[in-house]
Amino acid sequence: MITVVTGGAAREIGAVPWVVLVVLLGVDLAMSLRRPNNLTFEAPAEVFVGETARLELDIARAPQGLQGKIDWPDGLGGDADFAFFPAADGAARAEVACRAVRRGVWRVDHLWLFWRSRLKLLEFVPKLAVGAEIRVVPNIRMVQSGQITTTVLSTLYGVKENRAVGEGSEFQQLRDFVQGMDIKTIDWKRSARRRSLVAKELRAERNHHVIVALDNGYLMREEIGGLPKIDHAVTAALATAWAAAIGGDLVGYYSYDVKPRTFSAPTAGRTAFARLRSWTAELSYVSRETNHTLALTELNARTPKRSLLIIFTDFVDTTSAELLVENIGILAKRHLLIFVAIRDPDLEQLVETAPGDLDGAARLVAANQALNERRLVFEKLSRLGVTIVDAKPNAVTARLISAYLEIKARELI
């Protein structure tokens, strides 16, 4: 026998599943609604650009299976999602890797949390305010490690010190002339007064002017190895400025893009390095085209004394580099120049990889042409007496410091 339920009874039976579901939702909500609070966010006061820091997050009264997501600002990058792990007293802790990709002061405003209810019927996605600031500064890791200091001191004041004395350009002292010494060192006036031969002993001059010139145009915003070229240039510039300060030279700096921006006259000691570090930390990222004629003409006018100019810049092809080469040639008549270019490893990798299709062949031809044009520009600069430092980002600092030490050892300034 089949019983047919109609009317109000049918509606009551059909509503039972919904009632059960509502009850379950209420029970699940009561069991799971444990809102996290007391967020603690710990981060280092400063992070060197290009390096990765560890951020620690602690949350009290944390539910099980808690996950998080941070809204990263432009200057920071990290994992999109991360998990919290249980700690003491019902709390949860997470360690998040944060990579600094742009200089500046960056705020982490919010943290998104996510967890499921006990019965897996609900999902909670609250947003917590963080309000933390992370300062990303130029990378001076090599300076802090003492590697540069050791290299400079051992090169300029160590085994080469004896060779520097007597062959330099700065007066050191008078001494009796003995057989085997160069007769050109004899001081004839003092010898006549003493009625015996005395010679001038010279030493290498150490108070030269070194000026770091940074092109901050749009070409220096191109990313290589995850960082803009300008940040690789700033790292190498700071390391070389520290080496010059240790070497007894006076260090100044200059920046330009569409027009000259900042110039600081060379000063001595570690104060110059501190000023340079503070200045580069505030150097903005711009999208303006560089006017090499105006910028380098201004630099030449501001440096009447023969100096070592270290120019960090970039170019696209031989045509765009014509004015650059012309103005560097004018500077090279008075000053000693180091031209620093940062090589793109991806471009070289493209040339070394066999193409698999027509598009790959077209990219290979374009890459070869770009490398050949760069080589032509470097050859023109070399003929002008300019020292070329063309290296990959991880090697540009070491190459530049080696070039500086060689110039010091040969007393070319």
Side-chain angles (χ1 to χ4, degrees):
M1 181 177 66
I2 300 176
T3 303
V4 179
V5 181
T6 59
R11 287 194 297 271
E12 292 176 359
I13 295 175
V16 170
W18 295 102
V19 173
V20 173
L21 179 60
V22 171
V23 173
L24 289 175
L25 287 174
V27 172
D28 197 13
L29 181 62
M31 295 172 58
S32 308
L33 188 57
R34 188 182 184 184
R35 183 174 179 83
N37 56 14
N38 296 332
L39 171 66
T40 302
F41 186 93
E42 294 185 4
E46 291 184 347
V47 181
F48 291 150
V49 65
E51 294 192 352
T52 300
R54 307 295 298 184
L55 310 182
E56 294 185 357
L57 294 86
D58 289 279
I59 294 181
R61 300 182 63 247
Q64 294 182 354
L66 182 63
Q67 295 182 342
K69 180 178 181 179
I70 294 178
D71 291 333
W72 295 109
D74 293 338
L76 302 174
D79 296 333
D81 301 289
F82 55 90
F84 285 84
F85 297 96
D89 301 328
R93 171 173 295 181
E95 288 191 359
V96 185
C98 170
R99 177 173 168 80
V101 295
R102 293 289 189 279
R103 285 171 287 105
V105 180
W106 305 100
R107 283 184 57 86
V108 180
D109 292 321
H110 299 101
L111 168 67
W112 294 92
L113 299 179
F114 170 82
W115 73 92
R116 288 188 174 89
S117 61
R118 294 289 183 87
L119 301 180
K120 310 301 182 184
L121 297 177
L122 300 172
E123 292 181 351
F124 300 93
V125 190
K127 182 171 72 170
L128 297 183
V130 177
E133 286 188 350
I134 299 178
R135 182 177 179 85
V136 180
V137 297
N139 196 327
I140 57 169
R141 182 67 63 190
M142 292 186 66
V143 174
Q144 288 186 340
S145 67
Q147 179 181 354
I148 296 176
T149 303
T150 302
T151 302
V152 173
L153 292 179
S154 63
T155 302
L156 298 182
Y157 300 97
V159 294
K160 293 189 177 181
E161 177 67 13
N162 292 333
R163 188 176 66 182
V165 173
E167 298 180 1
S169 56
E170 187 174 275
F171 178 76
Q172 170 76 3
Q173 62 183 1
L174 290 173
R175 57 173 297 183
D176 293 332
F177 182 83
V178 296
Q179 187 175 3
M181 295 179 64
D182 189 351
I183 61 173
K184 295 180 181 179
T185 62
I186 297 176
D187 188 328
W188 295 104
K189 291 183 178 180
R190 290 183 173 86
S191 297
R193 287 196 293 267
R194 292 187 55 181
R195 298 182 180 275
S196 63
L197 292 178
V198 293
K200 294 179 181 179
E201 191 173 78
L202 306 176
R203 66 178 178 183
E205 187 178 354
R206 302 195 186 280
N207 58 345
H208 302 292
H209 286 191
V210 178
I211 298 178
V212 176
L214 287 168
D215 173 7
N216 196 29
Y218 77 97
L219 289 179
M220 296 298 284
R221 292 194 62 180
E222 178 187 354
E223 287 194 5
I224 296 180
L227 291 178
K229 285 184 178 179
I230 185 63
D231 283 319
H232 294 299
V234 165
T235 299
L238 287 172
T240 308
W242 179 258
I246 295 298
D249 290 329
L250 284 65
V251 182
Y253 53 83
Y254 177 63
S255 71
Y256 61 95
D257 43 69
V258 70
K259 65 179 182 179
R261 295 294 175 183
T262 306
F263 179 83
S264 177
T267 54
R270 301 184 181 185
T271 303
F273 174 80
R275 291 169 54 190
L276 178 60
R277 185 192 179 195
S278 176
W279 168 68
T280 53
E282 299 176 357
L283 193 64
S284 61
Y285 300 92
V286 300
S287 299
R288 294 181 286 264
E289 186 175 0
T290 301
N291 187 334
H292 292 290
T293 300
L294 180 60
L296 298 183
T297 301
E298 178 72 11
L299 178 60
N300 194 30
R302 286 178 173 269
T303 52
K305 180 180 177 179
R306 178 174 169 82
S307 308
L308 172 61
L309 307 182
I310 305 175
I311 300 177
F312 296 83
T313 186
D314 198 5
F315 55 90
V316 177
D317 49 33
T318 53
T319 302
S320 62
E322 287 181 359
L323 289 177
L324 173 62
V325 174
E326 180 180 346
N327 286 277
I328 284 182
I330 296 174
L331 284 174
K333 294 178 181 179
R334 178 191 295 175
H335 306 286
L336 187 64
L337 272 70
I338 299 179
F339 185 93
V340 184
I342 301 173
R343 191 183 304 173
D344 189 350
D346 294 336
L347 192 62
E348 296 184 353
Q349 181 67 28
L350 183 60
V351 172
E352 297 172 356
T353 304
D357 51 24
L358 290 178
D359 291 339
R363 289 192 293 268
L364 176 61
V365 172
N368 268 316
Q369 182 178 358
L371 291 177
N372 288 333
E373 292 195 353
R374 288 179 69 86
R375 192 177 302 111
L376 290 175
V377 173
F378 293 150
E379 289 176 357
K380 290 180 180 179
L381 293 174
S382 296
R383 288 195 292 268
L384 295 173
V386 177
T387 300
I388 305 298
V389 175
D390 178 32
K392 297 178 181 179
N394 58 352
V396 65
T397 300
R399 289 275 303 276
L400 179 56
I401 293 177
S402 296
Y404 163 74
L405 292 177
E406 182 178 356
I407 288 173
K408 289 280 290 182
R410 295 173 60 188
E411 298 183 28
L412 298 178
I413 304 179

